[in-house]
Amino acid sequence: MTTKLYVANLSDIDVKGSRKIKYNDIEIAVFRLTDDSVLAVENRCPHKNGQLSEGMVCGTTVHCPLHDWKIDLRSGQVQEPDDGCVTTFETEIDRESGSIYVTV
Ligand code: FES
């Protein structure tokens, strides 16, 4: 079963910024990219659980704030030479209201 969660309004998140939401035990980081698209991943680096929401966004990649692993926000894959992946979540923006939703 999937659930659609309201995150925030697009204008509430700075460009290259993020919002955190919780669903049960999962914390999700939702990022606004420079093209105003929005991507969401589990807010936990596969290395040592760094908070990806605190990381720097570069294109569609987030740099983990702890040890700079680079994670693709579209696929959840960690860039080589490091290895791992995070769960990604589907996002949706209602273009009329600007509301952002994540499907979990
Ligand atoms: S915890 Fe993310 S790179 Fe180490």
Side-chain angles (χ1 to χ4, degrees):
M1 208 184 80
T2 58
T3 305
K4 206 159 123 174
L5 303 173
Y6 172 75
V7 179
N9 198 279
L10 188 64
S11 59
D12 295 335
I13 307 179
D14 292 338
V15 174
K16 297 173 129 189
S18 71
R19 263 299 155 88
K20 293 187 280 190
I21 55 164
K22 271 222 164 181
Y23 179 70
N24 294 337
D25 289 344
I26 311 169
E27 190 167 271
I28 300 168
V30 183
F31 295 90
R32 175 177 175 181
L33 308 186
T34 45
D35 64 357
D36 280 346
S37 63
V38 166
L39 293 171
V41 297
E42 188 171 359
N43 193 23
R44 201 154 62 103
C45 179
H47 181 216
K48 290 191 175 167
N49 299 333
Q51 294 246 319
L52 298 176
S53 57
E54 309 292 322
M56 194 181 72
V57 174
C58 193
T60 57
T61 301
V62 64
H63 294 232
C64 178
L66 292 193
H67 318 96
D68 202 39
W69 278 23
K70 296 162 192 71
I71 295 159
D72 188 318
L73 294 169
R74 293 165 303 183
S75 63
Q77 279 295 326
V78 172
Q79 255 178 39
E80 287 183 359
D82 304 306
D83 189 31
C85 76
V86 293
T87 306
T88 58
F89 298 91
E90 214 174 286
T91 57
E92 193 183 312
I93 305 172
D94 181 320
R95 287 292 165 188
E96 224 142 80
S97 64
S99 300
I100 301 167
Y101 298 93
V102 167
T103 303
V104 292

